[in-house]
Structures are given as C-alpha cells and as structure tokens.
Amino acid sequence: MNVIMFVVGLVLMFALMIKTKYGPFICMLIAGLFIGLTSGLGTKGTIDGLVGGFGGTCKSIGLLVIFGTILGEYLEKSNACQKIATTLLKYTGNKNASAALSITGFIVAIPVFSDVAMVLLSPIVKNVGKKSGKNACALGTATACSLLSTNAFVAPTPAPLAVVAILGLDIGVSIAYGLVCAAVITLAVWAFTEFYLLKKPDSWYTELPAEDQAYGEENKDVSEKEMPSFLASLLPILIPIILILAGSIGGQFLPKKSLAMTLLAFVSNKNIALALGIVSAVALLARYLPEKTRYTPMTSALKTSGTIVFITAAGGALSNIVKLTGVGDAFAHALVASPIPVLLIPFLITGFSKFAQGSGSVAEILAAGLSLPMCEAGLMTPLEAFLSISAGASLGSHVNNSFTWVFSEFMGYDIKTTMKTLCVCQNIVMSLTGIIMTFLISAVIR
C-alpha cells in the first residue's frame, strides 16, 4: 500500500510542477506531506520527518551553496569567464574553436551556474563563429554541453552537493571521479560538434528573427584591459578543488594526529576550502569591479543562493519522508527484482524525472533519495549511485527545461534547431557517455 501511495505522491508532484506555477519547493513539500500522511507516519511523524530532512539538508549544503554562488558572482562580474575563453582561443586559434569553447565550458561551470555561464559566453561564441566562419549554433552546443557536464558531475554546483550529502559520499571522492567523467563527456561533446554539427550546411540551422533574440547588458564587448589575467581568473576555481582533493588524498598517507594532517583537515574542509576560494577571488578579481560594487557579491549572491538552498532542502525533506516510510526500500527491492541492471536504475529515475518536470537538480535530488536504500543494502556504492545519477541529469532534456530556452534565445536559433543540436547532444551523446563511464568506473573500483 505504501508503494502505491508513494507512486501517487510522485504523480501528484509532477502534475503540480507541470500544470501549476507553484514551483518545485512547494510541490516537493506537498508530495512529502501526502506520502507521509497516507503511508502511516501520522501527522507528527510526517511533520517531524519533513522538518528533519529539510534542516539536515540545509546543514549539509547551505554554506556551500552560498559560498559557491559568491565565488561565481566574482568570476561573472570581473569578466574572468571571458578571460578564460579568450585566452584558450588564442592558443587553439579559430580553427580549433570548438575545442577551446568546450574547455572553457568545462572550467567555467564548476563555480558558475550553467544558465548564467551560457548568457556570459554567448557573445564570445557568436564572435568566434563570425571570425572563424563556423556555425555559431554548433559552437554554442559545444560550449553549452560542456557547461552542463561539470554542472552535473562536479561540486560546488548545487545538484552534486545535494546528491553527495544525501548519499553520504566524500566530496573529494565525488570531485575526483566527477572531473574524470565530465572530461570524457566534454571530449565526446567536442567530437559530436566537430564531426557532425560543423559538417552541416548553414541552411540546416534556422536563426530567430533579430527582435526575438535576447541581448542584455552581459553581451557587451569587453576589452582585454577590463579583464583580469588568465591565472587570476583560474585560481579562485582551482584553489577549492585542489584543497578538497588534497584532504581526501592526504588522509590516506599522513598520520591522523600529526600537525600536518590537522592543518590539512582544516583547509580541506569543503566549507573552508570554498571560503578560501572567495578570499582569493576578492584579492585577485575585486579590483576589476566598479569601486562601489566590489563587495556586493557578498550580499547579492544571497538572493540567488537562498532559492537554491531552499529548493534543495525541500528535496531533502521529501527524501527523508521516503526513507522513514520504508517506501524507498520497497521501491529499491522491486527495481532490483526487475531485469534492469542495478546501475541503470538511478540513471533512469533521474532521466524520467527530468523529462516530466524539467529540472535536472530536482531530478538528481529525487533519484538520490530513492538510491540511498540500494546503497545501504549493498547493491551499489554511493559513488556508483552518484555517477549514475549525474549521468542521468542529461537524459530527458527538452523544452520544459529552462536552459533550453536560454540557449535558444541567447544563441539566436529557433527551438527546432535547439532541439536537434543541444537536446540531441544532451539526450544521446552526454547521457550515453556518462552511463558508459559509470559502468567502466564501477568495473575498476569493484
């Protein structure tokens, strides 16, 4: 009976997301309330479960999302993202523009949200297209899908952080394997662009009328003098990653009670590492912001990060209800009894959820909650579940995803062209490469 109520609750959640304007926060809480009350938790148990899951998720990822958003704003407003792109293009030349833009997307999306990064980089992509004579939509696809690869696999973007927190996976381990998977996916995206999209004639692509294309303040040309150096642009991204990875690796070799390990454990703490990334961003990039706004990202980022934290925490609340009702265990056992390989289950859950309601982050959080019982039962490791979920974040992408419209409007191509470039690359190239990498890594670690 609980399983039936669980399925009804999910259908209710997806229906509310699709048919109403309530948003994922309210819809997930309504679904959690419905599942808890109809599955025997009672009013007090349901409310306690929702509050406990919400608070626990906020505790795990709240500061990380805020710090990551602040860091991303400094990179955005100081023109560091543009600097990374223009520098890579100097080394590769316009002939290899798709490679430079793919690498740019891979790097920039680690701290900067993919939608924002696409807006920032779209004028560079268009400019490169004009100079190189290559189709801008094809180059935009390489950029966009590379952004999405690290966005799905590598913390401190919110979805990987939430999945790591729910599954109880070490964040350093998730970054190390996530970077490998995202790099291979980016390579596959580049190959798809170079050997398929760029071979198509310009007539294959349909541009939007000029009045329907989105142009904003972010699209203004920026001179080299207004940009920080390449190293200054890159260091605030690299410092947190290096520190977190150093903590995971150093813990395997240094004595636990040594002074070196004590210091490393402090600076490699995920919250401290990101805070040090912000310190480096202020030191290196703040001078490139207008004097009156050099420190505004410290507060303006709270507007963006607050929404993300609360939506993610609502997913944590729903996940906790699923755990308390025992529905997750029953659901896991039912799926395991099916002929579907266990590693495909988180992948398919994520893809189906994204197809139904549009948000990759919401889909990943839901899949993490349903995958946890399988991890606890020893059917898969938290790392395997994390990689499978992250791979599934590309599956099910279509017009109900906000990034699809950001791409269409800022690159200036109609939705049909967007579907056969961006969405095909996401649903086929990215998702298949991601799940293949998941199976390969699973074979190596077992």
Side-chain angles (χ1 to χ4, degrees):
M1 184 64 179
N2 284 2
V3 174
I4 296 173
M5 291 299 100
F6 164 71
V7 173
V8 173
L10 289 188
V11 171
L12 173 65
M13 181 185 73
F14 290 139
L16 288 173
M17 286 181 178
I18 294 168
K19 298 294 185 181
T20 73
K21 296 182 179 180
Y22 293 164
F25 177 79
I26 294 298
C27 294
M28 283 191 284
L29 290 181
I30 290 174
L33 192 64
F34 175 86
I35 293 169
L37 291 174
T38 57
S39 300
L41 284 185
T43 54
K44 186 178 185 304
T46 299
I47 293 170
D48 288 347
L50 287 171
V51 172
F54 188 92
T57 305
C58 282
K59 179 181 176 181
S60 297
I61 61 111
L63 280 177
L64 291 171
V65 172
I66 293 169
F67 288 166
T69 307
I70 293 172
L71 180 57
E73 285 218 12
Y74 270 110
L75 289 163
E76 171 196 342
K77 296 185 184 303
S78 65
N79 301 315
C81 297
Q82 288 91 327
K83 181 62 179 182
I84 292 170
T86 53
T87 301
L88 290 171
L89 282 166
K90 283 181 181 178
Y91 283 103
T92 62
N94 288 331
K95 183 179 178 181
N96 298 309
S98 59
L101 291 171
S102 295
I103 296 169
T104 300
F106 176 86
I107 296 171
V108 167
I110 293 173
V112 181
F113 301 128
S114 54
D115 290 48
V116 174
M118 191 66 236
V119 172
L120 289 171
L121 295 176
S122 59
I124 296 173
V125 174
K126 291 179 180 179
N127 190 38
V128 171
K130 289 178 181 177
K131 289 181 178 179
S132 65
K134 295 186 176 183
N135 185 270
C137 187
L139 296 177
T141 301
T143 310
C145 291
S146 301
L147 288 169
L148 294 169
S149 67
T150 42
N151 189 75
F153 278 92
V154 185
T157 44
L161 280 177
V163 174
V164 164
I166 293 170
L167 296 176
L169 178 63
D170 178 79
I171 190 170
V173 172
S174 77
I175 289 174
Y177 283 97
L179 281 170
V180 172
C181 286
V184 175
I185 291 171
T186 299
L187 181 62
V189 166
W190 167 80
F192 175 75
T193 302
E194 191 69 24
F195 301 110
Y196 178 70
L197 292 181
L198 286 174
K199 302 297 183 184
K200 297 292 183 182
D202 286 341
S203 58
W204 194 73
Y205 303 89
T206 305
E207 292 190 49
L208 287 171
E211 63 270 18
D212 293 335
Q213 298 186 26
Y215 295 100
E217 186 181 348
E218 298 88 346
N219 285 333
K220 62 182 181 180
D221 290 330
V222 179
S223 68
E224 288 283 336
K225 292 180 180 179
E226 296 178 88
M227 299 180 188
S229 70
F230 181 67
L231 183 61
S233 301
L234 213 52
L235 278 177
I237 301 173
L238 294 180
I239 285 173
I241 292 174
I242 291 171
L243 288 175
I244 292 170
L245 290 176
S248 296
I249 296 168
Q252 308 296 320
F253 300 100
L254 294 173
K256 290 185 178 180
K257 295 184 179 180
S258 66
L259 178 61
M261 188 61 222
T262 301
L263 291 173
L264 183 60
F266 175 74
V267 298
S268 66
N269 174 276
K270 53 194 177 184
N271 295 292
I272 300 299
L274 266 176
L276 291 173
I278 293 172
V279 171
S280 68
V282 173
L284 297 169
L285 305 177
R287 72 188 74 171
Y288 295 94
L289 275 68
E291 188 173 351
K292 292 182 179 180
T293 62
R294 284 179 181 173
Y295 303 102
T296 54
M298 299 288 187
T299 52
S300 62
L302 296 177
K303 296 177 183 178
T304 304
S305 60
T307 303
I308 296 165
V309 170
F310 291 147
I311 290 174
T312 305
L318 175 59
S319 174
N320 195 42
I321 290 294
V322 171
K323 180 179 179 181
L324 292 174
T325 58
V327 172
D329 292 317
F331 187 72
H333 291 324
L335 286 173
V336 170
S338 72
I340 302 172
V342 173
L343 274 184
L344 275 180
I345 293 171
F347 173 79
L348 294 174
I349 293 173
T350 310
F352 172 79
S353 175
K354 186 175 181 181
F355 179 84
Q357 49 77 32
S359 170
S361 297
V362 171
E364 289 182 67
I365 294 165
L366 176 65
L370 295 177
S371 300
L372 183 60
M374 290 184 277
C375 296
E376 293 173 340
L379 299 171
M380 69 175 71
T381 65
L383 174 60
E384 290 171 324
F386 168 77
L387 295 176
S388 181
I389 290 167
S390 299
S394 299
L395 193 63
S397 300
H398 61 100
V399 294
N400 68 344
N401 179 255
S402 63
F403 190 86
T404 302
W405 295 101
V406 169
F407 180 91
S408 173
E409 291 168 10
F410 280 88
M411 288 309 305
Y413 288 83
D414 70 1
I415 198 62
K416 180 181 178 182
T417 301
T418 299
M419 291 287 287
K420 63 185 183 181
T421 54
L422 175 71
C423 294
V424 166
C425 191
Q426 284 181 271
N427 285 290
I428 298 176
V429 179
M430 294 181 69
S431 64
L432 288 180
T433 306
I435 196 61
I436 289 170
M437 285 300 299
T438 300
F439 275 96
L440 289 176
I441 290 173
S442 174
V444 170
I445 65 175
R446 281 190 175 269

